[in-house]
Amino acid sequence: QKRGGCNVAIGCGALHGHQDNEESLHNVVAIGVNAGFCATTTNHSIFIGTNAGCKVTTGTSNIALGNGSLKCTTTGSHNVVLGSSTGNQIGSCGCNVFMGYLAGSIGGSSHNVAIGNRAGASLGGSLGGSDSGNRGGHNIMFGQCAGYSLFCGGQNFLAGVSAGGCS
């Protein structure tokens, strides 16, 4: 780390960063093998678990707890994900809360809440990007597999086991 401060990195590859960048990290906690591995200006974030937030480069104010959580997220900000492989393909989407194994795992849209194993797993179809508003968003899903088949839908409330479909 070339610049920055108030960071904690525990584990092989934690907060490794890219050698070609002027890293400027502040207030980041990364615990686990490759946790926060690509972080460059990822400030005010917490990554705990193997590969948690390992591809996040500039996304800020994220909390990822669980192996592989926020794994393929790059610039997405203001996400809170709890559980193994949760929110692992959010890309550049933000303002999501995903809790439970594989909840929001594809998660290519913003402003969603998915709580339960595999809840909201297919949101946005792993597209990420700045046009995430065109692929749904503003959804609330509670229960195992709630919203599992929801790809581009927006402004939905789904509650109960398999509400919105499990394949």
Side-chain angles (χ1 to χ4, degrees):
Q1 175 173 326
K2 297 176 185 171
R3 298 182 298 154
C6 300
N7 300 304
V8 175
I10 300 172
C12 182
L15 293 184
H16 177 269
H18 291 294
Q19 294 179 11
D20 297 336
N21 293 334
E22 281 277 325
E23 283 87 83
S24 183
L25 298 174
H26 299 281
N27 305 314
V28 178
V29 174
I31 300 173
V33 175
N34 295 330
F37 183 84
C38 293
T40 55
T41 57
T42 306
N43 296 317
H44 312 289
S45 295
I46 299 170
F47 306 113
I48 299 177
T50 298
N51 293 319
C54 68
K55 292 188 181 177
V56 176
T57 54
T58 59
T60 61
S61 302
N62 289 301
I63 298 174
L65 305 176
N67 294 336
S69 57
L70 286 184
K71 181 178 178 181
C72 295
T73 299
T74 53
T75 59
S77 296
H78 309 289
N79 294 294
V80 176
V81 299
L82 308 172
S84 232
S85 298
T86 302
N88 66 358
Q89 295 183 39
I90 290 176
S92 61
C93 298
C95 302
N96 292 296
V97 176
F98 297 136
M99 301 166 88
Y101 173 69
L102 291 173
S105 60
I106 294 177
S109 66
S110 297
H111 306 283
N112 296 290
V113 175
I115 299 175
N117 291 343
R118 293 183 173 88
S122 299
L123 284 170
S126 187
L127 299 172
S130 60
D131 66 338
S132 63
N134 296 328
R135 291 189 303 273
H138 305 278
N139 297 294
I140 299 173
M141 297 149 284
F142 292 107
Q144 180 175 324
C145 294
Y148 181 89
S149 299
L150 188 63
F151 182 74
C152 293
Q155 301 177 4
N156 293 291
F157 177 82
L158 303 166
V161 175
S162 297
C166 235
S167 298

